[in-house]
Amino acid sequence: MDFTFTEEQQAATEAARAAFSGVAPDGVPSPALVPGAVAEDIDRPLWAGLAAGDLLGLTLSPEHGGAGLDLVALCLVLRESAKVLARVPLLETCAVAMALQRYGDPGLAAELLPLVGRGELVLTVGANGRSGHDPAELAVTAHREVPMRSDRPGAASRRGPDEVPDETLGDATGDAAGDADGGAAGWVLDGVQSGVPWAQAADWIAIPAHTGEGRAVLALIRPAHEGVTLAEQVSTSGERFAEVRLDSVRIDGRALIDTAGAWEWLRALLTTGTCALALGLGEAVLAMTSEYTGKREQFGFPVATFQSVAVQAADRYIDLRAMEVTLWQAAWRISTGADCALPPEGDIAVAKIWASDGVRRVVQTAQHLHGGFGADTDYPLHRFHAWAKQIELSLGPAAAHEEALGDLLAAHLLG
């Protein structure tokens, strides 16, 4: 078995380190000191720097101006971003772009994806549903609305006199979907997605929904589209999130991806990318702890030389290595589609279990070994603690994934 990263993946890592080298974790007010969000917008200069370094198009195909790399490369970049608490929707934008490239309308993908790679479009996704506990697609309903053909005697549009035509896609609006009679097929969305990251800064939001037949679909909408309302929310890490409410939102057929498995694949990307963020954050925190305990002295000796301190740090190092190997296993399964005893969802669940529990243990140990200094708002550790808690609970805590893993083991006989 060869665990070596390819030259392209290593180059992506080096480019990411260069792009994040000037980012300070405490570049915005502390979430402990402000009542609302730490900032109104994402880190736009960093976003432009990522675009200039070709990191936003890393996983896009060359025909869309990208590098054509896989999820492993993206996770390597996400790992570096978490070490500095980069305030950019890198995971959300890249994951939605990958889903659009793989499952979306080719014409729409050709129009939007080059803009994503150049940093001209910001994408995000509502993956938490109403409360974060139930499947996100159940929080929004989607039903098809097909206008009647106007060339038939007595035909009339189903659109009411006070309703406006679909304009979700702007210049990208087209008749990609049609009914049996040749009319343009639109969709109507109703429901709520809570905790949508940086929705106010996004140009497009991917919204999972379910149809009357129980299928999961994925819709792309603009935040300013008629019927869309954003309510202010603030994450545990102090970032600006939003509750996205959809009230009879009409979208063009091209803006909805109804291919089987599209939403499940996007969620797999998001979950695995979250594990990469947990790993990078944990590595940064353990490095901070090592540096602090190596300098802090008691009884004339660095506290790092005390057995109890060394054992706790060693345990957290083991956590990080377990987080790392399970992350790469999950990313490799998604990227290659390799056949194993369990489907990729099993590897993703294992990675998320380790990421959720592991990052929590790492930051808790770091706080303990730093003493009161770890809670000092002039020192960045408390910021990492807040981000770690946000990551731990994102897309389901460890217990939820343990239950999912148990269901998979019960459904698949392991030889």
Side-chain angles (χ1 to χ4, degrees), residues 236-321:
T236 301
S237 56
E239 297 302 331
R240 196 179 183 201
F241 280 22
E243 177 189 82
V244 179
R245 184 174 295 275
L246 310 174
D247 184 13
S248 297
V249 175
R250 288 172 169 80
I251 63 172
D252 184 89
R254 289 206 304 168
L256 189 133
I257 303 172
D258 61 354
T259 306
W263 161 239
E264 291 78 7
W265 192 73
L266 173 55
R267 184 178 174 86
L269 298 182
L270 294 169
T271 306
T272 306
T274 301
C275 295
L277 295 174
L279 175 61
L281 186 150
E283 289 176 331
V285 167
L286 188 61
M288 292 171 60
T289 305
S290 176
E291 181 180 5
Y292 176 78
T293 57
K295 295 179 179 178
R296 178 76 166 89
E297 291 188 359
Q298 285 201 2
F299 311 111
F301 297 95
V303 297
T305 62
F306 298 169
Q307 186 178 30
S308 61
V309 173
V311 167
Q312 291 181 71
D315 285 342
R316 302 296 77 82
Y317 176 82
I318 293 173
D319 276 335
L320 290 174
R321 298 289 69 79

Side-chain angles (χ1 to χ4, degrees), residues 141-407:
T141 61
H143 68 268
R144 193 184 296 270
E145 183 181 59
V146 183
M148 298 172 64
R149 287 189 56 164
S150 60
D151 58 347
R152 289 181 299 195
S157 172
R158 293 174 58 183
R159 183 179 295 122
D162 297 327
E163 296 173 4
V164 297
D166 292 337
E167 53 187 8
T168 301
L169 299 179
D171 294 337
T173 302
D175 298 332
D179 64 356
D181 294 325
W187 291 81
V188 181
L189 305 173
D190 288 279
V192 176
Q193 288 287 347
S194 184
V196 181
W198 291 298
Q200 297 87 345
D203 298 290
W204 296 86
I205 305 174
I207 299 290
H210 71 282
T211 67
E213 300 81 27
R215 293 186 296 110
V217 295
L218 191 63
L220 292 173
I221 64 169
R222 289 186 180 274
H225 186 64
E226 183 177 1
V228 178
T229 304
L230 304 185
E232 195 81 6
Q233 293 182 323
V234 179
S235 71
T236 301
S237 56
E239 297 302 331
R240 196 179 183 201
F241 280 22
E243 177 189 82
V244 179
R245 184 174 295 275
L246 310 174
D247 184 13
S248 297
V249 175
R250 288 172 169 80
I251 63 172
D252 184 89
R254 289 206 304 168
L256 189 133
I257 303 172
D258 61 354
T259 306
W263 161 239
E264 291 78 7
W265 192 73
L266 173 55
R267 184 178 174 86
L269 298 182
L270 294 169
T271 306
T272 306
T274 301
C275 295
L277 295 174
L279 175 61
L281 186 150
E283 289 176 331
V285 167
L286 188 61
M288 292 171 60
T289 305
S290 176
E291 181 180 5
Y292 176 78
T293 57
K295 295 179 179 178
R296 178 76 166 89
E297 291 188 359
Q298 285 201 2
F299 311 111
F301 297 95
V303 297
T305 62
F306 298 169
Q307 186 178 30
S308 61
V309 173
V311 167
Q312 291 181 71
D315 285 342
R316 302 296 77 82
Y317 176 82
I318 293 173
D319 276 335
L320 290 174
R321 298 289 69 79
M323 290 165 63
E324 183 177 18
V325 69
T326 54
L327 163 65
W328 300 133
Q329 171 72 8
W332 174 75
R333 286 293 306 280
I334 295 173
S335 298
T336 63
D339 189 24
C340 296
L342 289 178
E345 289 78 10
D347 296 289
I348 295 168
V350 171
K352 189 59 166 69
I353 292 167
W354 272 104
S356 294
D357 283 344
V359 75
R360 172 175 49 80
R361 288 192 291 260
V362 168
V363 295
Q364 287 179 344
T365 297
Q367 288 281 12
H368 174 64
L369 296 182
H370 275 82
F373 194 50
D376 188 343
T377 56
D378 291 329
Y379 188 69
L381 181 58
H382 75 287
R383 298 174 184 270
F384 284 89
H385 201 157
W387 277 68
K389 180 56 66 175
Q390 181 72 38
I391 290 173
E392 175 192 350
L393 300 177
S394 294
L395 300 173
H401 289 274
E402 288 169 352
E403 182 177 353
L405 180 60
D407 292 341

Side-chain angles (χ1 to χ4, degrees), residues 123-135:
L123 309 178
T124 190
V125 55
N128 294 308
R130 286 181 175 270
S131 64
H133 298 291
D134 298 322

